Amino acid sequence: MIGTKARQDPRKVVFAEADNLKVLKASQVVREEGIAYPILLGNELRIRNLAAENGIELDDTVIIDPKSDEMSEKRHHFGELFFKKRQRKGFNQYEAKKVMRERNYFGCMLVETGEADALISGLTRNYPDTIRPALHVIGMEPNAKRVAGMYIINTKRGPLFLGDTTVNFNPTAEELAEITLLVANEVRQFNITPRIAMLSYSSFGSSGTAEAQLVARARDIVKQKDPTLIVDGEIQAAMAFNQEILKDSYPFSELLGQEVNTLIFPNLAAGNIAYNLLQEVAGFDAIGPVLLGMKKPVHILQLGSTVRSIVNMVNIAVVDAQHKCCDGKK
């Protein structure tokens, strides 16, 4: 589904860790399948040697080494642009130019200037080290107050969207509502109607604790901002999928008669634990984390992602670019 939509309008996607065999293999797949036009960042000789050793054809794939002498002028230009963005936010002019030698900053600047449409990174780096350059260079969508992370779990019932799984530790009710709206918007981009359960250890006031009430307030805020959304909570996870109990005990619920496809967790710990269990114990394929709320597409791989999961993330990035980078550039 996602792959078909991506192939209809492939975009230029930057791979920030192109001297990694998995990334090289994934770039070959997305090029051969017509999903995207890869731009590989890293030492060109190292990348070409790694490709040759493993029978990977690079053909006319673009390879850029941000540290090379050939990129000196572009580094200087990107550094000037970056300094204008961050000169009152902790970067002096020397630091702004120096940081462009780093692939994540350079790659994000390629996306920011329109020379590329999306960036994929994070396979061998910690999440904060990858998200920080994206926030510094590209920033959030104009109306977004935060970013959030979402996983897509492929189940027999169809895709299940989970958020927030990677960014916000203990959101307030207002922040949880914002996360819910970000996730709902992303689900809609795949031509899927979000049917959202906002999870807790309580269902519809069965517990009067502050944690449960926070989720209930967040749901109220979501409905105020988007009355058309199918969303309910606070609700226990098992309850959200049990239509018989909902009918007998909570016939008022918006989830009655609906097949839930989106789960919103009350905090980062719950979301992170859930997707890891679904992936490792239940054996479901997971795509993510998909970074939501960014002005332009930047998506961060999970440490140790497989080639297929990297390809899936590129699919997501291309679909994201089709919505956010509508200038038709290739």
Side-chain angles (χ1 to χ4, degrees):
M1 173 192 66
I2 296 171
T4 301
K5 189 171 182 180
R7 283 189 289 270
Q8 292 171 352
D9 187 10
R11 298 298 177 106
K12 292 180 180 178
V13 176
V14 178
F15 291 80
E17 297 162 296
D19 50 3
N20 179 282
L21 182 56
K22 288 182 182 178
V23 174
L24 268 186
K25 287 181 176 179
S27 72
Q28 182 182 36
V29 172
V30 300
R31 185 180 66 249
E32 292 177 347
E33 294 186 3
I35 297 169
Y37 308 109
I39 298 174
L40 308 181
L41 298 189
N43 182 281
E44 183 170 358
L45 180 60
R46 191 179 302 140
I47 291 171
R48 291 195 180 279
N49 286 341
L50 185 61
E53 291 168 3
N54 292 276
I56 298 172
E57 295 291 337
L58 294 177
D59 298 326
D60 58 350
T61 301
V62 175
I63 303 174
I64 299 174
D65 183 358
K67 296 181 179 180
S68 67
D69 293 340
E70 291 81 0
M71 287 294 110
S72 176
E73 186 176 338
K74 187 173 286 292
R75 281 199 310 271
H76 178 82
H77 174 59
F78 281 176
E80 290 287 344
L81 294 176
F82 184 60
F83 181 57
K84 290 178 181 178
K85 284 175 171 285
R86 306 297 298 186
Q87 61 188 2
R88 294 183 181 273
K89 298 179 180 179
F91 278 85
N92 62 38
Q93 193 167 36
Y94 170 78
E95 291 168 336
K97 292 179 180 178
K98 181 181 177 182
V99 80
M100 286 304 137
R101 297 174 66 87
E102 296 182 15
R103 283 180 276 179
N104 279 318
Y105 277 96
F106 190 93
C108 284
M109 192 59 76
L110 287 173
V111 176
E112 176 66 5
T113 58
E115 295 185 43
D117 299 299
L119 179 131
I120 300 291
S121 186
L123 183 66
T124 60
R125 295 174 180 268
N126 291 329
Y127 198 88
D129 293 336
T130 310
I131 194 174
R132 190 178 302 111
L135 290 171
H136 284 171
V137 174
I138 294 172
M140 294 185 292
E141 292 177 337
N143 296 323
K145 297 179 181 179
R146 68 193 59 260
V147 295
M150 180 186 79
Y151 267 85
I152 305 172
I153 306 294
N154 291 316
T155 75
K156 294 179 180 179
R157 302 158 50 101
L160 191 61
F161 301 88
L162 280 59
D164 176 12
T165 51
T166 56
V167 180
N168 299 276
F169 286 95
N170 292 293
T172 65
E174 292 75 15
E175 291 167 348
L176 192 59
E178 178 74 13
I179 291 166
T180 304
L181 293 168
L182 283 172
V183 173
N185 183 60
E186 187 73 12
V187 173
R188 285 167 170 159
Q189 289 191 16
F190 302 123
N191 296 321
I192 295 174
T193 299
R195 295 180 291 274
I196 306 168
M198 301 185 69
L199 302 180
S200 178
Y201 52 77
S202 167
S203 291
F204 306 116
S206 62
S207 172
T209 62
E211 292 84 357
Q213 291 176 0
L214 182 149
V215 178
R217 287 200 307 275
R219 186 263 179 182
D220 290 341
I221 295 169
V222 170
K223 292 299 289 186
Q224 290 169 13
K225 294 187 175 182
D226 188 352
T228 67
L229 266 183
I230 301 169
V231 55
D232 218 339
E234 88 286 10
I235 187 171
Q236 292 177 317
M239 194 79 67
F241 294 97
N242 193 318
Q243 288 291 312
E244 184 176 344
I245 295 179
L246 278 178
K247 183 178 179 180
D248 290 343
S249 301
Y250 306 107
F252 56 83
S253 174
E254 287 190 17
L255 301 180
L256 185 62
Q258 303 290 337
E259 189 169 335
V260 169
N261 58 22
T262 306
L263 302 178
I264 302 297
F265 295 91
N267 54 51
L268 183 62
N272 195 277
I273 291 167
Y275 95 75
N276 274 294
L277 285 173
L278 288 169
Q279 184 177 15
E280 296 299 329
V281 179
F284 291 127
D285 289 334
I287 304 172
V290 179
L291 191 58
L292 310 178
M294 296 296 296
K295 186 174 65 175
K296 294 183 179 181
V298 175
H299 293 301
I300 301 171
L301 300 169
Q302 184 180 9
L303 289 171
S305 294
T306 64
V307 172
R308 176 46 54 184
S309 63
I310 297 171
V311 172
N312 286 335
M313 283 297 288
V314 175
N315 274 311
I316 299 290
V318 171
V319 173
D320 202 6
Q322 290 168 358
H323 289 268
K324 292 180 177 177
C325 309
C326 301
D327 53 11
K329 291 181 181 179
K330 301 288 193 298

